[in-house]
Amino acid sequence: MQKGRLSTTKERLPLKHFTTNTDQCGSEILAEAENHEVKVKHKVTESSKMRCPVFYICFLLCLCLGLACVFCVCLWFNRWNGGFAWDGSELQFNWHPVLMVSGLVVVYGIGAVVYRIPLTWRQNKLPWKLLHAALMLLALILSIIGLQAVFYVHNAKGIPPLYSLHSWVGIAATALFATQWAVGMAGFLLPCSPMSLRKLLKPVHVWLGGSILLLSTAACISGINEKLFFSLKGNTTGSQPYSQLPPEALFANSLGVLIIAFSMVVLKILSNQQWQHPDSRPEDTAYTPLFQEEN
């Protein structure tokens, strides 16, 4: 009996020893995995810190170019085109370029990059998502009022609407923008939207956002050119033709260059994956609804 017990105990010892070794090995593997994850996060944090100064330089340049665009378009139509009014005259038309440049380009571009600010990455995402949506809604409202201004003037003077390529591109950009905002509101801000829908919409939302900015820029550039062709004909009033590049044409062309530069900086910020919010990078697949966010 004692021999049997001893043999049984000896047989059990290797199993116990094996179990202990397995537990130790598993704990070591888990510790190594945690250390590796900490190192990866540390590398990502250090890499992001290294790129922060470049981001803020681009963001500051974006703000300066945007303010310059708004200032120049207001100065152009106030100095060379008589100012602003809302009475169905040419002065009401002057609101159209001001509101379209301000809303569909400047406010839209700033609203697109505000969610990329690195200081927001460790904060609650709810206020920044709301700010992003609010800026986009403001841009949409300004562009709709700008379209209303030009349609009102065209109807008052009997001018047929939507006959030029400029008008087609502008209407397409505004329609896509309205659709983008409505779908984004339903897909990313409402808690009832399914997870699979958010995963499907995310890459389309990002791609369409950049495409709308390109369309808006094209509409503004073609609109500036069209306005100069109509205004600077070298008629009997003594104005110089566009081909001689009078001061108004030089100023308006410079405005177009500013708009292009602003759009290029915004697209640079949007295209850099290192400046994307960690929850928006390609390797992340889970998207949390707005009202389920946590600090």
Side-chain angles (χ1 to χ4, degrees):
M1 292 292 293
Q2 292 178 355
K3 292 182 179 180
R5 290 178 181 176
L6 290 174
S7 61
T8 305
T9 305
K10 292 179 181 180
E11 291 175 357
R12 291 177 180 176
L13 282 175
L15 181 61
K16 182 179 180 181
H17 181 69
F18 175 76
T19 306
T20 305
N21 292 338
T22 304
D23 294 339
Q24 293 177 354
C25 181
S27 61
E28 291 176 357
I29 294 174
L30 181 59
E32 290 179 0
E34 291 177 351
N35 291 334
H36 176 71
E37 183 178 357
V38 170
K39 290 180 181 179
V40 171
K41 289 182 178 179
H42 180 70
K43 289 181 180 180
V44 171
T45 304
E46 292 298 326
S47 177
S48 300
K49 288 181 179 178
M50 292 175 62
R51 290 176 173 83
C52 280
V54 181
F55 172 85
Y56 286 115
I57 291 174
C58 292
F59 186 69
L60 181 61
L61 181 61
C62 176
L63 293 177
C64 293
L65 289 172
L67 292 175
C69 290
V70 175
F71 174 77
C72 288
V73 71
C74 292
L75 181 60
W76 176 23
F77 283 90
N78 186 62
R79 179 175 179 179
W80 282 285
N81 294 275
F84 305 93
W86 198 272
D87 53 3
S89 63
E90 288 289 339
L91 299 183
Q92 180 174 341
F93 172 85
N94 293 344
W95 282 110
H96 171 68
V98 170
L99 293 175
M100 300 306 286
V101 171
S102 301
L104 207 56
V105 176
V106 176
V107 178
Y108 180 90
I110 294 175
V113 302
V114 72
Y115 195 56
R116 304 296 179 95
I117 300 176
L119 289 177
T120 67
W121 292 358
R122 294 186 178 182
Q123 300 178 8
N124 185 9
K125 293 183 293 183
L126 174 59
W128 297 98
K129 284 187 175 182
L130 291 176
L131 178 61
H132 171 74
L135 287 175
M136 291 302 185
L137 180 60
L138 175 62
L140 182 60
I141 292 174
L142 291 177
S143 60
I144 291 175
I145 297 175
L147 290 177
Q148 183 182 3
V150 67
F151 278 124
Y152 190 89
V153 173
H154 280 196
N155 291 334
K157 295 190 173 183
I159 302 175
L162 302 178
Y163 66 89
S164 64
L165 181 61
H166 159 70
S167 61
W168 291 7
V169 176
I171 286 293
T174 307
L176 287 175
F177 183 21
T179 305
Q180 168 93 329
W181 192 90
V183 174
M185 181 71 181
F188 298 109
L189 299 185
L190 297 182
C192 59
S193 59
M195 189 70 65
S196 58
L197 178 62
R198 292 187 216 105
K199 292 181 181 180
L200 180 64
L201 288 179
K202 187 64 179 182
V204 179
H205 186 79
V206 174
W207 170 79
L208 192 58
S211 301
I212 292 171
L213 182 61
L214 290 175
L215 287 175
S216 304
T217 304
C220 290
I221 298 304
S222 60
I224 291 172
N225 215 18
E226 187 176 289
K227 174 62 178 176
L228 291 175
F229 277 124
F230 287 158
S231 300
L232 304 177
K233 296 181 180 180
N235 50 25
T236 56
T237 59
S239 62
Q240 293 179 314
Y242 187 20
S243 59
Q244 295 183 7
L245 200 64
E248 180 182 358
L250 183 62
F251 187 84
N253 287 349
S254 301
L255 170 63
V257 173
L258 287 175
I259 293 174
I260 294 175
F262 173 83
S263 300
M264 290 179 65
V265 174
V266 171
L267 291 175
K268 168 61 180 176
I269 295 175
L270 296 179
S271 63
N272 194 330
Q273 293 186 359
Q274 297 296 330
W275 293 342
Q276 291 183 5
H277 195 284
D279 290 345
S280 302
R281 291 175 182 171
E283 59 269 20
D284 297 317
T285 57
Y287 304 103
T288 308
L290 173 66
F291 301 109
Q292 294 181 9
E293 299 287 355
E294 296 180 357
N295 271 324

